[in-house]
Amino acid sequence: MTSDPMPTPQELRAMAYADGELSDEETREFEREMLDDPALAREVAQLRRLEVLSRQVAGPEPMDAEWKVLAEDPWQSGGTSVAYGALLVGTVGLGICMVVGILVAETTPLVKLLLLLVIGGFTLLLVLTIRARLRTLPFDPYTKVQR
Amino acid sequence: MILVTANDVPGRQVVEVCGLVRGNTVRGRHIGRDIGAALKNLVGGEIDDYTKLLAESREQSIDRMIDEARALGANAIVSVRFSTSHIATGAAEFLAYGTAVKLA
């Protein structure tokens, strides 16, 4: 029988930080280290995720089994993916048609430029927002909470 | 950290009141979930997307309230209360607040 390896001093400090057991000075020092070491920050995020999930003491409800069966049903999951895919393609397509419509429309170049700037600005904001969310998602310990 | 909705912790004496502590967050689900939730609203039943949304908000608010209490040197929070506010479509603020105390 093998047992889990003993936690390293760094892991113990990460656990203490996640539990709020470090002194103020040690906390500040550890937070400075996390800024320079993304792996350390991810480890603390993982520990916080476990701590949040451990508070979910209620057992599964009978309906949870039905939700699980539904989620694994190929028609439900496949159909949902197709529906969201169609929505995404349709939205992007409409956006492209809008841009083309603006370019070929009989209006002043200034109006065309301004409209394209607005669309381009919103698109860039959307891309940057998605990028920011994807980067911070691993550090959000609450995404696994169900109820 | 002991959290209770009562005004005191039976069997433990409050030796110091550290003050009001609170934690809040505003979270939303992504637009795909919002569309799904709007459709589920048409047919009735639990909208599990929003159940999960409020559950995430609840846990984050509690953690922020606990962090504030720890910063004040408290080891318990009494009279814990929760409050929600609708901020925008698909986004709600969840507020947890209470009185941070030191128990003997």
Side-chain angles (χ1 to χ4, degrees):
Chain A
M1 187 176 79
T2 58
S3 58
D4 291 334
M6 290 291 291
T8 63
Q10 189 73 310
E11 285 170 347
L12 286 172
R13 284 180 69 223
M15 288 179 207
Y17 174 79
D19 289 340
E21 291 169 357
L22 295 179
S23 67
D24 289 346
E25 180 56 38
E26 288 169 334
T27 299
R28 278 193 290 273
E29 187 190 331
F30 193 83
E31 285 170 355
R32 277 196 295 271
E33 287 177 33
M34 277 203 297
L35 286 174
D36 295 329
D37 187 354
L40 188 60
R42 273 194 293 277
E43 190 172 338
V44 170
Q46 184 64 15
L47 286 168
R48 283 216 160 121
R49 189 173 286 121
L50 283 173
E51 196 243 328
V52 169
L53 289 178
S54 70
R55 295 204 291 250
Q56 315 301 302
V57 294
E61 297 175 358
M63 199 196 288
D64 290 342
E66 290 304 312
W67 281 117
K68 194 165 179 292
V69 167
L70 193 61
E72 290 167 0
D73 175 29
W75 284 104
Q76 187 73 21
S77 56
T80 306
S81 300
V82 167
Y84 280 127
L87 278 173
L88 183 63
V89 168
T91 305
V92 171
L94 277 174
I96 294 172
C97 289
M98 205 185 314
V99 170
V100 170
I102 290 169
L103 287 172
V104 303
E106 291 180 8
T107 182
T108 63
L110 178 62
V111 170
K112 285 186 190 180
L113 176 65
L114 292 174
L115 283 170
L116 288 174
L117 279 175
V118 168
I119 293 173
F122 272 119
T123 305
L124 182 59
L125 270 177
L126 177 62
V127 167
L128 289 174
T129 303
I130 293 171
R131 178 175 177 263
R133 178 60 179 153
L134 289 174
R135 282 184 66 166
T136 56
L137 196 56
F139 301 98
D140 186 348
Y142 306 102
T143 53
K144 300 289 183 200
V145 176
Q146 292 300 319
R147 65 173 73 96
Chain B
M1 179 74 62
I2 297 172
L3 267 65
V4 293
T5 54
N7 292 334
D8 52 25
V9 178
R12 302 284 295 272
Q13 187 179 1
V14 173
V15 296
E16 183 183 339
V17 173
C18 301
L20 170 71
V21 289
R22 67 259 189 260
N24 75 321
T25 183
V26 180
R27 293 181 75 103
R29 302 303 308 278
H30 59 74
I31 190 166
R33 294 289 184 182
D34 278 339
I35 293 172
L39 293 171
K40 282 177 191 170
N41 210 7
L42 292 176
V43 299
E46 183 183 10
I47 304 175
D48 55 311
D49 298 309
Y50 289 153
T51 300
K52 183 169 161 51
L53 167 65
L54 284 175
E56 292 173 7
S57 303
R58 179 193 66 230
E59 297 304 321
Q60 187 168 24
S61 301
I62 289 173
D63 279 344
R64 286 180 171 167
M65 181 179 63
I66 290 173
D67 287 344
E68 205 167 284
R70 279 207 184 110
L72 292 174
N75 58 5
I77 307 174
V78 299
S79 303
V80 173
R81 302 286 183 267
F82 299 112
S83 167
T84 57
S85 309
H86 173 258
I87 299 294
T89 304
E93 183 203 21
F94 199 103
L95 171 69
Y97 59 96
T99 306
V101 298
K102 273 191 197 158
L103 299 176

